[in-house]
Amino acid sequence: MDNIGLATGEIFLLCAICVILIGDLFVSENRRQMSYLLSQLTLVITLILTWVVAPETGSATAFGGSFVMDPMSKLCKSWILVVSIGVFLYSRDYINARRIMNGEYYTLALSGVLGMMIMVSSSTMLTLYLGLELLSLSLYALVALNRTDEKSSEAAMKYFVLGALASGALLYGISMIYGATGSLHFDVIAAKLGEDSSSTAAVFGLAFVVVGIAFKFGAAPFHMWVPDVYEGAPTSVTLYISSAPKIAAFAISMRFLVDGLETAHASWQGMLIILSVLSIVIGNVIALAQVSIKRMLAYSTISHVGFILMGILAGNDQGYSASMFYAITYALTSMGAFGILLAMGRAGVEINLLTDLRGLFRRNPVYAAVMMVLLVSMAGVPPTVGFYAKLAVLNAVVQADLVWLAVLAVVFSVVGAFYYLRVIKYMFFDEPAETQPVDSSLDVQVGLTINGAAMILFGVFPGLIMAACVAAFAG
Amino acid sequence: MPILSIIIWLTILGGFLVLFSGDSRCRPVALGVSILAFVFSLFLYFGFDKGTADLQFVEHVAWLPSFGVNYSLGVDGIAMPLILLTTFINIIVVISAWEVIQDKPALYLASFQVMTGFMVGVFSAADAILFYVFFEATLLPMFLIIGIWGGPRRVYATIKFFLYTFLGSVFMLVALIYMYGQADSFAIADFHKLPLGSTAQTLIFFAFFIAFAVKIPMWPVHTWLPDAHVEAPTAGSAVLAAIMLKMGGYGFLRFSLPIVPDASQQLAWFVILLSLIAVVYIGFVALAQADMKKLIAYSSISHMGFVTLGMFIVFGILAKDVDGQSTSHAVLGLEGAMVQMISHGFISAAMFLCVGVIYDRMHSRQISDYGGVANTMPVFAAFMVFFAMANAGLPGTSGFVGEFMVILASFKANFWFAFLAATTLILGAAYTLWMVKRVIFGEIANDNVAALTDVNRREIIMLALLAAMVLIFGIWPQPMVDVMHTSISNLVSHITVSKL
């Protein structure tokens, strides 16, 4: 066994999931808080373990070269875990209030986290696929968690059918690439393609792989599932889907496209340009017409995915680090935005329409301020972190001589600014429909406040995250 | 001592202090913050070396090393007067809001303090990204100010304001990133030295032009301004007119002219054309307004036409060179534009505050609701008439100085430019004085006017401070012109050198 210690974090997480799953069976209804606390503890310990076992510099592999720990995986895993901690914190009261199956939520979400960690650390196509399926299956079940709710079941069904189709496409692409190069290992594939980059089979497979990734990312034109799932799923699950998996999706794109198929850059750059242009245009324009805030945020996610893809398609280290910065900060932003919706929607009230946010400023000024900062960050207005994320991506794109793409992206981010501003309008300028103040547990309040403050903190000192992202791709 | 940072962060952090001091104690705190910031900005004036065009009070800290973005500040003779104007107007804002704003005053005053910090940042940034950050960041406080405390159509107005200016500036961002690729630095000074080809210059010129033309604003992208002004609360209008518009003018001087001099020269006719349309056509539009705030808003656009005219007439003067002194005439045109900006800062703020004073009493801005205000508010009437005269460019007020300098310079380029520009002296007098006639003079129009009470001590202080500035710079503009002379001369000699 070589270096199996590198996967200590994942192994611990798997064991902990089993313990929580079984433990939950024997805990009485009123002690369900237990699962929550154990899950949070698990995430923290996994985070620590990940940091402990990660090599100081460079990368190390385990399991016969199919599992890799490098600066990128360390960084992505850390943020996936941090974001998941926030997700659980915001979800807790929502789940308790609705009596959604408590233990199952945490165990499924944790196995999703495990899947993401494996995706991030994969260095063969097979490991990557295993991680991806573990995440996807957990998500299908999570979306259906509120099984008495018709919308939730419908969303789960759509998600499952479309997701399975995407997995099929991905797997087909993998088999083509395997056929062309004779290996599942990304480094071997890269070496093989380096000798003969014009292999038709490999490019054919690449197209399917890109389709699969685009599906999982929710990039247009493979975005149809996103709004339905975002709207139909319980909000705590939407929160989960919209945050950490974006970091994982970024990581698998990097593994496939850069680690494995970088020599075919010319081929996939064109595909990603189409995806990112369509995502930015469709996401921003259709979001304008939404009356449901969950659907609006779904379309906004699609447009942000376009930006993440833009950084990758630039095809230089600047672009990769910019994309990573974008994915991480977007996960934090999205987490906060859905966190606010969860905090508002307690006691049987579901926040779904934009107008439900009306007058939030009068009902809870702190939450309104936090939500404003988050939305402004999504719109990319300085001095919030969203501006630097966009700046970094645009910089990479302009340096790759794609100025027109940058111009298009900024024009549509102005379109996007409109629907974010409209939410701020509802919160600040309108009178509330009900005057009852919005209140939630102290730890949620603290969490959301920190989340909002982080948008400004990372906006004023973007170097805090950016330096690590740049270092992950240096050399 | 890092004075620029102190001013910026004193007001931004002071804004949060105001917010947390609560609605009952926020007013003195805000006044303290604003006066302190103004005192610090006086250090800039007295410590300023008039003999050099280099940036002064320079600060430089690496901010985002992986990107080459630095937190670097510095002012020259163009920026420094605008910073003083900003901190001065900020005091007036606090005084104007004192008892008028009863709904969430802490948030209101805090927004203005934070916005002041951002605006000082705009004028003192020596790094392009830092400039852009401050430039955009000012939108958000103003968005809230108009949206929360504004008039009936505030939502429409504030979203229009935000989106219009946001759309304008994103192109500038792409241009800045493009130049970063060429110069490998975001320092504005490096952009000044950067050689650029003809096509690149033209594209960059338009990227900047859209940003600054929307901001200043020029015809035909001015339509956000009347809406924003009408709906904004009084102090919001004052800051918008007095300072935010100047960010556009400042941008032309700091970015467009020195970075793309050749494109600016080729396209000067275009800018001059739009400027003259603004001066003449918008002057007529102002004449037709029934709403006082809208009238002043259109008058602002017309006056800003002078600013852009003074800036772009420079190329015509240099090309024609009638008497071998073209450089000094060009300097005159640019200085006229600067003087016009600063003077308009005082006068437009004063005009909006005057309207605010009577609006607070009558809750109407319609000219037709007034008449004979002089009978019940004699002191106020005196102020209003004085500011109206200044707005019309009466000699002896600061409004005259800038317009005169620009018209004088225009003659050296083209008689017809000067002729059209000079029509503003008639039009400006017509719309301003006609409004004053209908509002202030005549018989008392109705019972509401009869019940008016004259300005109180707070309002007198506020208007007197502004009146003093208008008068001082009207009679003795030399101190203002002196500080900017070296920087402007340097700018003129810079743009005469082709970058191609």
Side-chain angles (χ1 to χ4, degrees), chain A residues 103-138:
Chain A
E104 282 80 350
Y105 174 81
Y106 295 116
T107 43
L108 282 170
L110 282 175
S111 41
V113 173
L114 178 62
M116 287 189 258
M117 290 176 71
I118 294 172
M119 282 155 78
V120 168
S121 264
S122 59
S123 62
T124 69
M125 295 192 285
L126 202 61
T127 337
L128 190 148
Y129 186 75
L130 281 176
L132 184 60
E133 283 307 285
L134 183 53
L135 170 67
S136 300
L137 286 171
S138 312

Side-chain angles (χ1 to χ4, degrees), chain B residues 181-242:
Chain B
Q182 309 292 309
D184 203 26
S185 154
F186 272 118
I188 297 174
D190 291 339
F191 288 172
H192 288 184
K193 289 178 229 141
L194 182 69
L196 288 163
S198 180
T199 320
Q201 281 205 26
T202 309
L203 291 174
I204 293 172
F205 175 85
F206 278 109
F208 283 137
F209 181 74
I210 295 169
F212 301 134
V214 167
K215 199 85 186 176
I216 201 167
M218 293 179 77
W219 183 87
V221 285
H222 65 280
T223 58
W224 62 270
L225 186 79
D227 286 315
H229 267 317
V230 168
E231 299 305 325
T234 306
S237 299
V239 169
L240 203 55

Side-chain angles (χ1 to χ4, degrees), chain A residues 361-362 382 388 392 395 429 460, chain B residues 63 67 104 132 136 147 154 181:
Chain A
F361 180 54
R362 312 255 168 195
Y388 294 94
N395 182 41
F429 307 160
V460 178
Chain B
W63 184 24
F67 252 166
K104 296 187 282 291
Y132 186 82
E136 292 286 85
R154 61 186 195 275

Side-chain angles (χ1 to χ4, degrees), chain A residues 264-277:
Chain A
H265 174 248
S267 307
W268 54 257
Q269 186 181 42
M271 303 181 201
L272 292 202
I273 288 177
I274 296 170
L275 289 176
S276 88
V277 167

